[in-house]
Amino acid sequence: AAGVIQSPRHLIKEKRETATLKCYPIPRHDTVYWYQQGPGQDPQFLISFYEKMQSDKGSIPDRFSAQQFSDYHSELNMSSLELGDSALYFCASSSPLRARNTGELFFGEGSRLTVL
Amino acid sequence: GEDVEQSLFLSVREGDSSVINCTYTDSSSTYLYWYKQEPGAGLQLLTYIFSNMDMKQDQRLTVLLNKKDKHLSLRIADTQTGDSAIYFCAESISGGSYIPTFGRGTSLIVHP
């Protein structure tokens, strides 16, 4: 079965640079979520999109932005990178019906960003 | 996160039962989940329980919910080395987007 695809899997950037992470949800899933997981930390919710519109906002820094495109894939753009941005970034997808019934999100394998 | 707390490590012997505990603070939590994260992989939903339930059993997994104490536990019977992973407790609230709030995860180590 198709899963959530994230790219790149690993990314190394320097401070003050910009990075873009991509997420391709499971087919027919129209809701995408972004989480940030620092070393030894819990996954923190950043932002979510439903039908290409932002639906919820969590602890996403102002330096970050995201959007969902017409094919439902999503991109997380991070600018002016800081050392503290080094983390594993997860994307998850769901369909509203499934979310209402079980709250289940389907996670990708994550993109590991290292800021030097 | 601070709303969901778990112990960080648990070590068990293969074949024994594992019990991973979690406490949460939001009494309006509607769904409570256990997710599993294997090395280098994303989070995978293991099981979930509605807040109006006390127990849920699914093969080797048993979830117990004590709403009064806001305590959730996951019992894994006959623990195997393949169960070694990080287990995350999470809660979400109905009426919104069901966005799970995760704990910091319990690292389960199964040794022979």
Side-chain angles (χ1 to χ4, degrees):
Chain A
V4 176
I5 306 296
Q6 292 188 244
S7 68
R9 293 293 310 279
H10 301 274
L11 190 59
I12 299 174
K13 291 286 185 178
E14 295 199 352
K15 282 196 308 184
R16 293 179 288 278
E17 285 192 320
T18 297
T20 297
L21 305 181
K22 296 185 180 183
C23 169
Y24 296 86
I26 291 172
R28 291 181 294 282
H29 280 192
D30 49 16
T31 307
V32 169
Y33 309 78
W34 285 97
Y35 279 82
Q36 176 193 56
Q37 185 182 25
Q41 302 298 312
D42 54 293
Q44 288 286 324
F45 170 68
L46 294 179
I47 195 166
S48 64
F49 292 87
Y50 166 63
E51 282 291 344
K52 292 151 277 184
M53 300 283 290
Q54 180 184 308
S55 59
D56 286 277
K57 192 172 181 180
S59 54
I60 185 169
D62 292 341
R63 298 177 290 107
F64 293 9
S65 64
Q67 56 183 323
Q68 186 179 30
F69 295 85
S70 57
D71 64 351
Y72 296 103
H73 95 271
S74 179
E75 294 184 4
L76 177 65
N77 300 294
M78 299 174 284
S79 62
S80 302
L81 287 169
E82 301 173 357
L83 296 178
D85 296 328
S86 294
L88 195 54
Y89 290 82
F90 286 109
C91 173
S93 74
S94 187
S95 64
L97 179 62
R98 181 129 191 179
R100 273 197 295 277
N101 288 338
T102 68
E104 179 178 6
L105 304 188
F106 295 84
F107 282 82
E109 294 185 337
S111 293
R112 184 170 296 281
L113 171 66
T114 302
V115 181
L116 302 176
Chain B
E2 57 191 30
D3 297 329
V4 180
E5 294 193 359
Q6 311 175 230
S7 53
L8 294 183
F9 298 98
L10 177 65
S11 178
V12 300
R13 187 173 297 174
E14 191 175 17
D16 287 350
S17 291
S18 308
V19 179
I20 303 172
N21 295 300
C22 166
T23 57
Y24 59 98
T25 57
D26 198 327
S27 58
S28 57
S29 294
T30 299
Y31 298 92
L32 294 132
Y33 313 90
W34 285 104
Y35 277 82
K36 177 183 180 182
Q37 184 181 31
E38 296 183 7
L43 287 82
Q44 178 191 8
L45 180 67
L46 279 181
T47 186
Y48 64 93
I49 189 168
F50 295 126
S51 59
N52 61 359
M53 298 169 64
D54 298 322
M55 185 184 87
K56 180 178 181 182
Q57 187 151 4
D58 184 2
Q59 300 182 337
R60 291 190 298 123
L61 305 179
T62 303
V63 179
L64 294 177
L65 175 61
N66 181 329
K67 278 196 73 174
K68 176 176 169 290
D69 296 337
K70 299 191 186 69
H71 182 266
L72 182 75
S73 68
L74 173 69
R75 178 177 180 271
I76 305 173
D78 188 25
T79 313
Q80 303 298 307
T81 54
D83 294 324
S84 294
I86 301 175
Y87 291 81
F88 289 91
C89 172
E91 61 173 352
S92 69
I93 301 167
S94 66
S97 307
Y98 297 103
I99 297 169
T101 298
F102 289 89
R104 292 183 63 179
T106 299
S107 183
L108 174 64
I109 301 164
V110 182
H111 54 90

